[in-house]
Amino acid sequence: MKQLTRSTHWLTSAVGAHCYWLDAGSHVAIVDPGMTAGLNRVARELRAAGRSPYEVTDILLTHYDADHAAAAAEWQRRTGARTWLGAEDAAVLTGAASVPPTPFRQAMAVLGQPELPGRLHLIEGDVELWPGLVALHTPGHTPGHHSFRADDVLFVGDSFQLKDGRPVPPPAFLQTSVRQGLSDVARLGALDVDWYCCGHSDPVRRR
């Protein structure tokens, strides 16, 4: 468990995407808990740091891909936490909306989709989830992808990767919309934040 700021830690034992812990007073959130295989590893990491998985009040999912969200349903069952997910991505998981027609998305659907967690709160557009935490709709990667800004920390999921500390778009084949993805990178890169916390690049302090 690596401390980034007073309220933000990187949980390094997660399997799949990078996972983060956000302690925001009355809200204790886990961001993108990753794959189910890492759930108990993350729990042990928290306990070793003197924290408990049962402190979690909120699960923040940047998007529905299994490497970010597969463990969310079990985290929710164990903790009773609220789960936050973009409305468009939730619709894909319930079958209310079609899987985006890109080769990558179609292949991922064949491999299997994550279970939709309980106590689900849908995120629509840009919205403040609680004081100090804003969800930003960044739908280039998936239709319901959201990035989360917590004061000076930006959790970007798969909106961008970092190259030499600079935001760059993910490979085009991973994008649902390449044009939207470029717009997402430009928008997020213009925000005045101290930390970028990415899904597949180690977190970077900008200053």
Side-chain angles (χ1 to χ4, degrees), residues 33-77:
M35 302 182 75
T36 305
L39 190 151
N40 290 330
R41 291 172 49 171
V42 171
R44 287 193 294 270
E45 181 180 359
L46 287 171
R47 292 191 178 98
R51 305 302 297 259
S52 167
Y54 296 100
E55 295 178 51
V56 172
T57 62
D58 295 87
I59 300 166
L60 302 174
L61 300 177
T62 57
H63 62 294
Y64 72 85
D65 282 347
D67 58 338
H68 292 252
E74 185 59 26
W75 266 98
Q76 195 285 321
R77 278 191 287 271

Side-chain angles (χ1 to χ4, degrees), residues 1-11 13 20-30 39-58 75 79:
M1 188 173 183
K2 295 186 178 180
Q3 185 168 6
L4 305 180
T5 72
R6 179 184 57 81
S7 59
T8 306
H9 293 75
W10 173 22
L11 298 175
S13 62
Y20 301 95
W21 175 272
L22 176 64
D23 193 336
S26 61
H27 295 272
V28 176
I30 190 165
L39 190 151
N40 290 330
R41 291 172 49 171
V42 171
R44 287 193 294 270
E45 181 180 359
L46 287 171
R47 292 191 178 98
R51 305 302 297 259
S52 167
Y54 296 100
E55 295 178 51
V56 172
T57 62
D58 295 87
W75 266 98
T79 64

Side-chain angles (χ1 to χ4, degrees), residues 156-192:
V156 304
D158 284 350
S159 287
F160 63 68
Q161 301 170 343
L162 292 171
K163 183 176 182 180
D164 299 325
R166 296 181 297 104
V168 296
F173 77 92
L174 295 176
Q175 301 279 52
T176 296
S177 168
V178 172
R179 178 177 293 181
Q180 181 62 52
L182 291 171
S183 177
D184 293 343
V185 172
R187 179 191 186 197
L188 296 176
L191 295 177
D192 185 20

Side-chain angles (χ1 to χ4, degrees), residues 129-142:
L129 303 187
W130 60 76
L133 182 76
V134 177
L136 303 170
H137 192 205
T138 46
H141 184 63
T142 67

Side-chain angles (χ1 to χ4, degrees), residues 68-149:
H68 292 252
E74 185 59 26
W75 266 98
Q76 195 285 321
R77 278 191 287 271
R78 294 187 185 188
T79 64
R82 293 176 292 267
T83 309
W84 301 85
L85 177 65
E88 296 88 347
D89 279 10
V92 171
L93 293 183
T94 62
S98 299
V99 175
T102 65
F104 177 76
R105 288 279 144 226
Q106 294 291 315
M108 291 289 285
V110 170
L111 293 174
Q113 307 280 34
E115 178 186 351
L116 195 67
R119 288 198 68 193
L120 186 63
H121 292 246
L122 301 179
I123 311 172
E124 300 188 61
D126 296 351
V127 62
E128 185 178 60
L129 303 187
W130 60 76
L133 182 76
V134 177
L136 303 170
H137 192 205
T138 46
H141 184 63
T142 67
H145 190 293
H146 280 76
S147 302
F148 300 104
R149 181 177 183 175

